[in-house]
Amino acid sequence: MTGDCLNSGTHRVLFDFKAHGEDPALVAEDLRVFSYRELSELSSAFAEMVKPRALVFMLCRNTPGMIACYAGLLNKGAVPLLLGSRIAKEALLALIKIYRPSYIVSPSEISVDGRPLLECEGVRVYETGEGNPPVLHENLALLLSTSGSTGSPKLVRISLKNLESNASSIIKSLAITKDNRAITALPMNYSYGLSVINTRLISGASLAVTSSGLMQKPFWELFDRAGVNSLSGVPYSYEMLKCLGFTRKEYPNLEVMDQAGGHLDEVLQKEFSEYCASHGIRFYLMYGQTEATARMACLPFKYAQSKPGCAGLAIDGGKFSIRDENGAVISSPSAEGRLFYEGPNVAMGYATDACDLKKGDEWRGVLDTGDRALMDEDGFIFIKGRESRFLKVYGNRLSLDDCALMAERYFKGIKAACAGRDDLVMVCIEGEADPVLVREYLSEATHLNKRAFKVAKVAALPRSSSGKILYRELEKYF
């Protein structure tokens, strides 16, 4: 991962495509195969359109052209902010006003204000004509949104070192080789989806590239025809796979499955771990946050059945600690506290406006995850929930996530999500269940007065493009 020479001095690059020559890099939906040489040429063509150290907004969609453009920008030393292509126009305009990008990249069919510079492989590059671009710190390489709602102005500032170290650790944890072929089952503007791309292109492996989702026929047609042998997903992905009857079918090419992006229901973990074990598939459970570039922990596949609910061990180069309310490290095994992580993949900090883009490394390799967790005697981490996902209800500490899980386990076939404030729990349910009965059950199960609960039935729980529940949107139902 060493670099090419640019105009002023030496610039390290993340992707050394030339090292892999004619090996396959990307397989498109129409089964066109892009070799690493072709990907290098395409990414360079995009890079030539922008100036080094320029801020570039990317309205992302999973296509070969968009991946090539992303790689070219990083290798050029420009700083992309990855956003979803479906971002609302008002939200995009607000972000442009705040951060003042010099360029915008979008799918060809989406027009944005600016001067078109290049259109290639379904991707168009625009120059905005911004006369007062922000000052960027020399180590800033990438910006990602903290929210599933991509209109959030709060961004995570990521360095090339963060990207390199995290990709290297994930490659080691998942034993990724050049024979690995993954598929873009997650949005590339989501840190987990992006890590799937980074790790494959750095290791000389390959990607089947599709913007179709798990519930769409073109996804599975490409999965089969491209010989995909690695599949990544968030908990919602595994819920959809179950709905599709995934574990009742055979996938002769499949060698690896991994899951991150939230806690996987233990019933699903059991079903998929048993399926994978009986079919010779390595099944990894992982834990991460955008603030740690992508991932912090991995549960080796040999423990997938024996350690239900476990997030795993710290990835190579990382370290976890459990701390009490005063910040002191808790040394007793299985004692619950606030989870901290240390490692070279911890991002530089947040940005909420353009002035923040010139800041250096504020976190210095230490991340307060905001999660409550415990560590067993072997160093394995068990996440108990978000610190912010606990409420005080009539003096009792209540986990909103546990509350939703109780409802789902009792009322089979529903999905539940909880939000609220002290002394009031708001529960949204998706599926066939009587809100009155749900309220009565939760009151009885938690030994709290029924007045502590409000229950609403919704057609579908609000989710981000990566399948995560948008808890802030739940309150509109009450």
Side-chain angles (χ1 to χ4, degrees), residues 457-474:
K457 193 170 184 177
V458 300
L461 296 175
R463 295 181 183 271
S464 70
S465 59
S466 61
K468 288 188 175 182
I469 293 172
L470 301 174
Y471 291 104
R472 291 180 182 177
E473 295 189 14
L474 297 182

Side-chain angles (χ1 to χ4, degrees), residues 98-218:
I98 293 170
Y99 287 104
R100 310 190 304 275
S102 297
Y103 305 91
I104 298 176
V105 174
S106 74
S108 294
E109 68 271 22
I110 298 177
S111 297
V112 299
D113 292 335
R115 181 170 70 92
L117 299 179
L118 173 69
E119 184 170 356
C120 184
E121 286 295 335
V123 175
R124 191 177 290 155
V125 181
Y126 295 87
E127 186 174 32
T128 65
E130 173 60 54
N132 182 32
V135 177
L136 308 179
H137 189 274
E138 61 182 355
N139 292 334
L140 182 62
L142 176 69
L143 294 164
L144 294 176
S145 172
T146 60
S147 171
S149 173
T150 51
S152 171
K154 188 177 182 182
L155 310 175
V156 178
R157 298 181 288 114
I158 296 171
S159 70
L160 194 65
K161 175 186 173 183
N162 298 150
L163 290 165
E164 288 175 332
S165 65
N166 202 227
S168 176
S169 296
I170 294 169
I171 289 168
K172 183 175 181 179
S173 294
L174 301 184
I176 297 171
T177 68
K178 64 183 299 183
D179 295 323
N180 182 275
R181 175 163 290 175
I183 187 168
T184 55
L186 299 163
M188 65 178 288
N189 55 292
Y190 171 44
S191 60
Y192 181 20
L194 187 65
S195 76
V196 173
I197 294 171
N198 289 341
T199 50
R200 272 61 181 189
L201 296 186
I202 286 172
S203 61
S206 57
L207 284 159
V209 184
T210 176
S211 55
S212 298
L214 286 170
M215 301 299 283
Q216 296 175 295
K217 187 177 179 180

Side-chain angles (χ1 to χ4, degrees), residues 417-429:
C418 299
R421 51 186 179 273
D422 287 352
D423 295 337
L424 178 62
V425 181
M426 293 175 280
V427 186
C428 285
I429 55 172

Side-chain angles (χ1 to χ4, degrees), residues 23-28 30 32-36 38-39 42 64-65 121:
D23 290 344
L26 306 176
V27 182
D30 60 5
R32 284 184 302 155
V33 177
F34 294 78
S35 69
Y36 272 95
E38 291 169 324
L39 180 57
L42 183 56
E121 286 295 335

Side-chain angles (χ1 to χ4, degrees), residues 185-407:
L186 299 163
M188 65 178 288
N189 55 292
Y190 171 44
S191 60
Y192 181 20
L194 187 65
S195 76
V196 173
I197 294 171
N198 289 341
T199 50
R200 272 61 181 189
L201 296 186
I202 286 172
S203 61
S206 57
L207 284 159
V209 184
T210 176
S211 55
S212 298
L214 286 170
M215 301 299 283
Q216 296 175 295
K217 187 177 179 180
F219 179 94
W220 294 105
E221 289 178 341
L222 180 62
F223 183 93
D224 291 333
R225 296 173 70 186
V228 171
N229 57 26
S230 179
L231 180 61
S232 302
V234 295
Y236 187 53
S237 306
Y238 281 84
E239 292 172 14
M240 289 189 286
L241 290 175
K242 181 176 175 61
C243 291
L244 291 169
F246 183 91
T247 56
R248 297 194 300 270
K249 302 173 185 176
E250 300 291 327
Y251 304 91
N253 291 321
L254 193 57
E255 299 174 358
V256 181
M257 296 183 74
D258 57 272
Q259 179 270 322
H263 176 72
L264 183 65
D265 179 84
E266 290 182 17
V267 174
L268 281 178
Q269 180 181 337
K270 182 176 186 295
E271 179 177 345
F272 279 91
S273 62
E274 288 177 352
Y275 174 84
C276 288
S278 65
H279 288 75
I281 299 169
R282 307 196 310 272
F283 181 48
Y284 299 92
L285 296 165
M286 308 192 83
Y287 163 69
Q289 293 180 359
T290 302
E291 289 85 346
T293 306
R295 284 172 262 186
M296 296 176 277
C298 178
L299 181 66
F301 68 91
K302 64 181 180 179
Y303 296 108
Q305 291 179 274
S306 62
K307 286 190 177 287
C310 182
L313 299 165
I315 59 173
D316 188 50
K319 178 183 177 182
F320 285 114
S321 60
I322 309 292
R323 304 186 189 183
D324 63 21
E325 294 179 357
N326 298 315
V329 174
I330 300 173
S331 57
S332 303
S334 300
E336 186 177 321
R338 197 174 180 102
L339 182 64
F340 282 74
Y341 173 81
E342 299 176 49
N345 54 308
V346 173
M348 300 166 66
Y350 291 124
T352 56
D353 59 35
C355 292
D356 290 338
L357 302 184
K358 63 184 177 184
K359 292 181 177 178
D361 187 355
E362 296 181 302
W363 292 345
R364 299 183 179 276
V366 180
L367 178 66
D368 176 356
T369 68
D371 285 329
R372 293 191 66 79
L374 60 83
M375 183 188 300
D376 70 13
E377 59 276 6
D378 298 318
F380 287 86
I381 294 294
F382 292 79
I383 308 298
K384 308 308 291 184
R386 293 292 292 169
E387 189 76 52
S388 60
R389 300 283 298 148
F390 286 83
L391 292 182
K392 277 290 185 72
V393 183
Y394 302 146
N396 298 280
R397 194 165 182 273
L398 180 70
S399 165
L400 293 174
D401 295 328
D402 284 350
C403 189
L405 187 59
M406 283 191 294

